[in-house]
Amino acid sequence: DQLLPIGLTYCWQHKYRHLATLLDVGVNIITESFAKPVQNRVLFGTAKKREQIRNTLTRFLGFALSQDTALAEEHLAYLIQQNHTDSYVAAGKAVAYYYATQTDTAEKLINAWLDEKKDAALKKLLMANSQLTDKDQLSQDALEKIRTLVAFSLMFITHQYPTNQLSAPLKERVVNITQVGVKSNTLKTYLGDMVLKAICSQHFELLEPHLEDFVCKQNLTDAMPDILNAAMSNHPKAVWAVLHRWIDLIDTNHSELKKEQIENQKKLITVALK
């Protein structure tokens, strides 16, 4: 693992065209591996084989991000335009590998992608290759795909850190992407079904102060029971504390509460009971 980046860096400097071509082939192989039923049983015959191939090739794409961001972004755009769960997983792993090797520059790149006031290179690529015609719709669709990419990237980035030891900016990024996730049904679904479940199962105590907002403001009521259940094995005391706190709301005196507060409490009680 330590020698691989050194060797790739040397080859990138001296055999750029060869590696650029190999990257193109590699990303095509990734997308071919999504096919159902499997088209190439020799190459993709088992789930383990598919995972090994994707992991190797996504690391290569992550390395390319550190060497030629513009080229790598073309391939990231191609992947996430597939609008497929596995394609977001592959792209997210590539970004996470880049983040692990060059955290500061990766942070700056992610900030540029998420900047709504400017059209980053990745956003322009997505808009240029879209079949949509309305400019506002084009922009919003591209931004939603980028946010989904960032959400999946965070799922793998946070896995690189010890339990409950995320940096404040990284934790804030997770919270922010969840807050904007309600604007997109696709991203909201991914957050509930996969992303937050994975992050909370490792870093539950850091995100615990935000759970009520996730339920009441981000409307993740349906997904939250599974998220809490996933976190239970690693953080039983903390999860039970949350459940007891929400169950105790049953006995709250509602006479002085506003309608919105009452509705929010009902959501929390429902989640706890489920």
Side-chain angles (χ1 to χ4, degrees):
D1 281 356
Q2 293 176 346
L3 291 175
L4 182 62
I6 298 173
L8 283 175
T9 300
Y10 176 84
C11 291
W12 200 273
Q13 293 169 351
H14 298 279
K15 299 288 183 181
Y16 173 81
R17 285 190 301 169
H18 294 81
L19 282 190
T21 301
L22 183 60
L23 181 63
D24 189 44
V25 172
V27 172
N28 283 329
I29 289 174
I30 291 173
T31 56
E32 285 174 19
S33 74
F34 302 151
K36 293 181 181 179
V38 173
Q39 300 298 313
N40 186 335
R41 292 197 172 276
V42 175
L43 194 58
F44 308 123
T46 65
K48 185 177 180 180
K49 274 189 176 182
R50 291 192 293 274
E51 184 178 7
Q52 288 174 335
I53 289 168
R54 288 177 195 165
N55 284 344
T56 299
L57 294 174
T58 53
R59 285 189 66 190
F60 184 26
L61 179 54
F63 168 80
L65 269 169
S66 69
Q67 301 297 314
D68 189 334
T69 304
L71 176 65
E73 283 181 320
E74 291 180 18
H75 293 292
L76 282 177
Y78 176 72
L79 278 174
I80 63 179
Q81 276 178 320
Q82 308 301 311
N83 224 21
H84 188 289
T85 303
D86 288 336
S87 65
Y88 278 117
V89 168
K93 284 184 176 180
V95 175
Y97 179 76
Y98 175 42
Y99 192 98
T101 56
Q102 295 190 20
T103 301
D104 291 342
T105 52
E107 279 280 0
K108 291 177 182 177
L109 183 60
I110 292 172
N111 286 335
W113 287 347
L114 294 173
D115 190 339
E116 296 184 43
K117 297 179 181 179
K118 298 178 181 178
D119 287 345
L122 180 59
K123 185 177 179 182
K124 289 178 180 178
L125 285 166
L126 291 168
M127 293 173 68
N129 294 317
S130 175
Q131 295 181 347
L132 299 173
T133 53
D134 181 82
K135 187 176 180 180
D136 290 338
Q137 192 178 2
L138 263 172
S139 178
Q140 191 58 38
D141 182 69
L143 189 56
E144 286 179 6
K145 283 183 170 64
I146 289 171
R147 286 170 175 163
T148 305
L149 166 63
V150 171
F152 274 90
S153 301
L154 290 170
M155 182 170 72
F156 296 112
I157 290 169
T158 56
H159 187 64
Q160 299 167 356
Y161 289 79
T163 300
N164 293 319
Q165 291 186 39
L166 298 179
S167 65
L170 192 53
K171 172 190 166 184
E172 185 180 358
R173 198 179 285 286
V174 173
V175 173
N176 287 343
I177 206 72
T178 305
Q179 289 172 343
V180 300
V182 295
K183 298 177 182 178
S184 165
N185 287 332
T186 301
L187 176 52
K188 181 181 173 184
T189 300
Y190 282 136
L191 283 166
D193 290 350
M194 296 180 68
V195 176
L196 285 178
K197 190 183 294 185
I199 297 174
C200 282
S201 64
Q202 184 174 359
H203 304 288
F204 181 80
E205 290 170 35
L206 288 181
L207 292 178
E208 186 272 332
H210 304 278
L211 294 181
E212 292 188 10
D213 281 349
F214 289 171
V215 173
C216 301
K217 294 182 179 179
Q218 279 71 65
N219 200 24
L220 289 168
T221 310
D222 293 337
M224 190 53 67
D226 283 341
I227 292 171
L228 293 174
N229 188 47
M232 182 69 80
S233 59
N234 293 329
H235 314 273
K237 291 183 179 179
V239 174
W240 277 115
V242 170
L243 294 176
H244 283 299
R245 187 169 74 244
W246 292 356
I247 286 290
D248 287 345
L249 294 172
I250 292 174
D251 298 324
T252 301
N253 181 355
H254 290 164
S255 61
E256 296 183 0
L257 296 181
K258 296 179 180 179
K259 183 178 180 180
E260 182 182 358
Q261 292 174 310
I262 295 172
E263 290 302 314
N264 286 341
Q265 288 191 355
K266 286 181 180 178
K267 291 178 181 178
L268 297 173
I269 292 167
T270 300
V271 167
L273 289 173
K274 285 183 177 180

